[in-house]
Amino acid sequence: LMLFIINTIILTYAQNEKDAATKLSRLPVESFWLCLSSIANGSCCLCVSIAIPLEFFNEDGPTGIIMNSMALLFIFTLDDLSGGALAFIGEDDESFQRSIAWEYALLSQCPVQLKDIIKPDAQAPEDLWSITYDQNGRLRNTRNPDALHGLEPGLLLTRVSLLRQDETSPLVQKDKDMDALVPCTRYQVVNGGRVLRLPGVRGDILHFMWMIICLLLQIIWCVSPVLWFIINKPCRDENAS
């Protein structure tokens, strides 16, 4: 029973990670650390699922089985914001999602070059900034209105902005998933620096990785309780000499 419970918790977590892989890859974060964290979480899921029946072999009663299950679950949830180990941060999943949403919104309004919203001939501090928007609420380049930095001439290039459509962009989305309806964006920190496409290839990599992990966990979920029951309680012929 405990094998089914623990494996179900881990499998549900992995399925949620697989569903959120595309959303996670849309965040303006470094790809190396994003992939490394996903690999660590996936490895933890597989290792805990494999370690549970091995730990149960050494236990003779239900008390030890329950204690080992709680210990492995503690290790599994050690990096969760809502766990006790990270309580000093003062964040939970809801507040973290709210902070990420605010950061994403602010980066979409933060220009790559501050000089594009500064008046070079300003005589007073209150006249230094020149922040204007078009009818769609997008920042305009007041210093160089004819510059083609954004999607249209005169728009300001921000840290997070919509990706410009070209001849390689599909006219019709074949995927019916809601994530496919969200337009792709670009992330750039400095002018002339590396441009990161969001979600890009890393979204497909993370989704494929979690799909493989979910498949392995489903196999473990089905096989491990049966194998543990057979190996732990083998049928022996007591009359055999």
Side-chain angles (χ1 to χ4, degrees), residues 89-115:
I89 299 179
E91 292 274 354
D92 54 8
D93 293 339
E94 183 178 355
S95 60
F96 175 75
Q97 293 174 1
R98 189 184 305 110
S99 300
I100 288 295
W102 273 105
E103 181 182 359
Y104 195 90
L106 293 175
L107 287 176
S108 66
Q109 299 297 321
C110 179
V112 176
Q113 300 183 93
L114 288 179
K115 64 181 181 180

Side-chain angles (χ1 to χ4, degrees), residues 43-173:
S43 302
C44 182
C45 291
L46 291 176
C47 291
V48 171
S49 296
I50 296 173
I52 288 174
L54 300 178
E55 285 290 331
F56 288 177
F57 278 132
N58 299 324
E59 300 298 335
D60 297 328
T63 303
I65 291 177
I66 294 175
M67 293 300 294
N68 284 337
S69 300
M70 297 302 295
L72 289 174
L73 277 180
F74 171 76
I75 296 176
F76 177 70
T77 60
L78 190 61
D79 63 337
D80 290 351
L81 292 175
S82 57
L86 299 179
F88 66 94
I89 299 179
E91 292 274 354
D92 54 8
D93 293 339
E94 183 178 355
S95 60
F96 175 75
Q97 293 174 1
R98 189 184 305 110
S99 300
I100 288 295
W102 273 105
E103 181 182 359
Y104 195 90
L106 293 175
L107 287 176
S108 66
Q109 299 297 321
C110 179
V112 176
Q113 300 183 93
L114 288 179
K115 64 181 181 180
D116 292 334
I117 56 174
I118 291 179
K119 293 181 179 179
D121 55 348
Q123 302 297 325
E126 56 271 13
D127 299 331
L128 181 63
W129 301 101
S130 177
I131 302 176
T132 58
Y133 297 89
D134 64 356
Q135 64 274 12
N136 296 321
R138 297 173 296 184
L139 279 172
R140 297 196 61 85
N141 192 337
T142 56
R143 188 179 64 89
N144 190 6
D146 297 328
L148 184 58
H149 292 317
L151 295 175
E152 300 175 5
L155 293 181
L156 196 64
L157 181 62
T158 56
R159 298 271 180 106
V160 175
S161 59
L162 291 176
L163 194 65
R164 187 182 303 166
Q165 300 292 327
D166 54 14
E167 62 274 6
T168 62
S169 302
L171 297 178
V172 179
Q173 293 286 353

Side-chain angles (χ1 to χ4, degrees), residues 110-238:
C110 179
V112 176
Q113 300 183 93
L114 288 179
K115 64 181 181 180
D116 292 334
I117 56 174
I118 291 179
K119 293 181 179 179
D121 55 348
Q123 302 297 325
E126 56 271 13
D127 299 331
L128 181 63
W129 301 101
S130 177
I131 302 176
T132 58
Y133 297 89
D134 64 356
Q135 64 274 12
N136 296 321
R138 297 173 296 184
L139 279 172
R140 297 196 61 85
N141 192 337
T142 56
R143 188 179 64 89
N144 190 6
D146 297 328
L148 184 58
H149 292 317
L151 295 175
E152 300 175 5
L155 293 181
L156 196 64
L157 181 62
T158 56
R159 298 271 180 106
V160 175
S161 59
L162 291 176
L163 194 65
R164 187 182 303 166
Q165 300 292 327
D166 54 14
E167 62 274 6
T168 62
S169 302
L171 297 178
V172 179
Q173 293 286 353
K174 297 181 181 180
D175 194 353
K176 296 182 180 180
D177 190 7
M178 291 300 297
D179 292 333
L181 302 178
V182 180
C184 296
T185 56
R186 63 192 305 275
Y187 176 59
Q188 185 177 4
V189 179
V190 296
N191 187 31
R194 182 170 63 96
V195 178
L196 182 63
R197 178 170 177 167
L198 306 176
V201 181
R202 65 181 187 177
D204 298 331
I205 294 176
L206 293 179
H207 183 79
F208 179 76
M209 184 195 73
W210 281 110
M211 185 174 62
I212 296 299
I213 292 175
C214 288
L215 178 61
L216 295 176
L217 290 175
Q218 287 176 352
I219 296 175
I220 295 174
W221 187 87
C222 296
V223 173
S224 63
V226 178
L227 287 180
W228 183 84
F229 182 79
I230 294 175
I231 297 174
N232 187 55
K233 303 294 183 182
C235 296
R236 298 186 179 93
D237 188 2
E238 297 181 354

